Amino acid sequence: MHGWKKTIIALALMALLVLAAAACGDSGRVTEAPDKNGQGAEQTAQTNNGGGASGEEVEADEAAESSTEQAGADTKQVTDDLDRVIEVPLQPQRIVAGEFAVELLELGLKPVGAGNNSFKIPFIEDKMEGIAPIGDPPDAEVILDLQPDLVIVPTVFQEIYPEPMKQIEKIAPVYYVSFEQDPIYGIFVRLAELVGKKDEADRWIAAYEQEAATAQGQVDEALGEETVSIFRVENGRLRIYLNRNFGGYALHSSLQANAPVAVADEIAEQPYGSAIQISLEMLPEYAGDRLLLIVRGEGDDAAAMTDIEELELWKSLPAVQNGQVHKLDTETYYGSDIVTIREGMKAIAAMLTGHSINP
């Protein structure tokens, strides 16, 4: 019996030695954690005697690296217009658009939430059904309930809504987009690349360029060297629109209509500026041979326009004398989104030429 016990003890000691040796063999393994892209870091394995890793260990390492790479392939790093490097989904499924809902819809993506301005665009009213309004300023609690995987907002949101944006940035990746760039070849193209829809953007742009080329030709033929400008009358304020909203981009970039020298100089100074305010006495300097007028049809704005129309200064403008003042609907053409630009281009061309644009 005593000899049997010695045999058991000896076997147990041998088993412990084998396990200890195996542990020492793995002590040379160095495993780095995946980086923030989810990509597997380099892994190495050595044995105490300098030998290579076993076949089973290599297979296990390769399987782990493959799994990590697949997980990391779902995201990418991008830099937004605030020069922030953020990690976003390659193919986001639940986007909240503080602005730019139009651009996403034209790319075939329906956001789960959108800012208030997107619901005011008449050209996409039917497409906005089912999209949740996030408020103005954006409501972090509403956005949290929408469970977004990406939030897209203009850079001005960080300036005018700093506290809400701090909360929203904790909910999902936030991509900031500046308005100070071309709305089509800048903003639209960047958004398409962000969400993996470059081909869709290319097709949209090709169709737009075809329409623009036709419209430009017709406007050139109708106007020759005549100039065109856009101004807005509000109670106590007169503004000239440049190269963005309220038909500015449609007129000056899409149609490339001739602008008065004063307007052209302002656009050269701020290529994607919205508008400048001028005094009434400066209107003859900024008024084109043809005028596009933005004024509400009632209230204080309408009353202010009535007062202007009684002035000799107004009556002396060539556009007024020649019956070349065309009114742009305030609610329809205020935006700088790509659909409003495209539809505004066709509407303005029709006003200036007297017939519709048919590519």
Side-chain angles (χ1 to χ4, degrees):
M1 188 71 173
H2 182 66
W4 179 77
K5 286 183 178 180
K6 284 184 176 181
T7 301
I8 294 298
I9 292 170
L11 290 172
L13 288 172
M14 288 177 66
L16 289 172
L17 289 171
V18 170
L19 290 173
C24 290
D26 281 345
S27 64
R29 181 178 298 279
V30 178
T31 304
E32 296 181 7
D35 62 20
K36 64 181 179 180
N37 286 320
Q39 301 297 322
E42 181 182 359
Q43 296 181 330
T44 61
Q46 297 178 341
T47 60
N48 284 346
N49 61 8
S54 69
E56 291 181 356
E57 288 173 329
V58 171
E59 290 178 2
D61 288 346
E62 290 177 349
E65 288 176 359
S66 176
S67 175
T68 303
E69 288 173 358
Q70 289 175 2
D74 293 336
T75 62
K76 63 180 177 180
Q77 283 191 339
V78 295
T79 302
D80 67 10
D81 285 341
L82 291 178
D83 289 328
R84 299 161 59 253
V85 178
I86 59 173
E87 193 158 349
V88 301
L90 285 176
Q91 296 181 326
Q93 302 298 311
R94 298 185 62 80
I95 303 174
V96 166
E99 295 281 353
F100 317 114
V102 174
E103 286 71 18
L104 294 175
L105 288 167
E106 291 299 289
L107 291 170
L109 294 174
K110 189 167 186 174
V112 295
N116 290 3
N117 284 339
S118 298
F119 294 90
K120 301 175 183 178
I121 301 170
F123 304 111
I124 60 164
E125 283 181 352
D126 57 331
K127 296 181 179 180
M128 294 299 292
E129 186 176 352
I131 299 176
I134 62 171
D136 185 12
D139 190 318
E141 291 187 9
V142 171
I143 293 174
L144 178 62
D145 289 340
L146 292 173
Q147 300 179 355
D149 52 11
L150 178 63
V151 177
I152 302 173
V153 297
T155 53
V156 294
F157 272 28
Q158 194 182 67
E159 300 170 18
I160 60 179
Y161 306 132
E163 292 307 316
M165 290 314 304
K166 285 180 182 178
Q167 299 302 316
I168 294 167
E169 287 174 11
K170 298 175 183 178
I171 297 171
V174 176
Y175 188 87
Y176 287 95
V177 181
S178 171
F179 283 124
E180 296 299 318
Q181 58 187 311
D182 192 290
I184 294 176
Y185 302 100
I187 292 174
F188 184 47
V189 170
R190 290 194 64 182
L191 291 176
E193 292 172 347
L194 175 69
V195 301
K197 295 287 185 178
K198 185 177 182 302
D199 290 344
E200 288 81 352
D202 289 344
R203 286 193 292 271
W204 191 97
I205 290 172
Y208 157 79
E209 288 178 342
Q210 181 180 359
E211 289 183 342
T214 300
Q216 284 175 25
Q218 294 179 1
V219 168
D220 286 345
E221 183 179 354
L223 270 63
E225 297 300 317
E226 288 184 307
T227 60
V228 190
S229 58
I230 304 174
F231 75 101
R232 182 179 186 183
V233 175
E234 294 177 285
N235 185 30
R237 187 162 67 167
L238 177 63
R239 285 185 288 178
I240 297 292
Y241 278 81
L242 302 178
N243 194 32
R244 198 168 87 199
N245 58 330
F246 269 123
Y249 187 92
L251 177 67
H252 299 299
S253 289
S254 300
L255 295 174
Q256 298 183 15
N258 295 321
V261 173
V263 176
D265 289 345
E266 294 289 350
I267 293 174
E269 186 173 337
Q270 43 179 328
Y272 301 107
S274 176
I276 59 166
Q277 185 169 334
I278 64 171
S279 65
L280 184 60
E281 290 73 22
M282 297 170 67
L283 182 57
E285 181 183 357
Y286 286 86
D289 299 309
R290 302 189 184 209
L291 290 177
L292 298 175
L293 170 64
I294 303 165
V295 59
R296 296 185 186 277
E298 56 187 18
D300 293 340
D301 295 352
M305 187 65 217
T306 299
D307 291 341
I308 291 174
E309 289 174 328
E310 297 299 321
L311 300 175
E312 288 301 319
L313 179 146
W314 172 258
K315 295 176 182 178
S316 68
L317 295 176
V320 176
Q321 292 179 346
N322 296 324
Q324 293 295 339
V325 178
H326 309 277
K327 291 187 178 181
L328 280 175
D329 182 68
T330 307
E331 306 302 329
T332 303
Y333 299 107
Y334 82 97
S336 62
D337 62 90
I338 60 172
V339 171
T340 299
I341 286 172
R342 191 174 184 176
E343 297 303 318
M345 172 188 74
K346 291 184 282 189
I348 291 171
M351 291 176 185
L352 298 176
T353 64
H355 54 80
S356 61
I357 303 304
N358 297 307

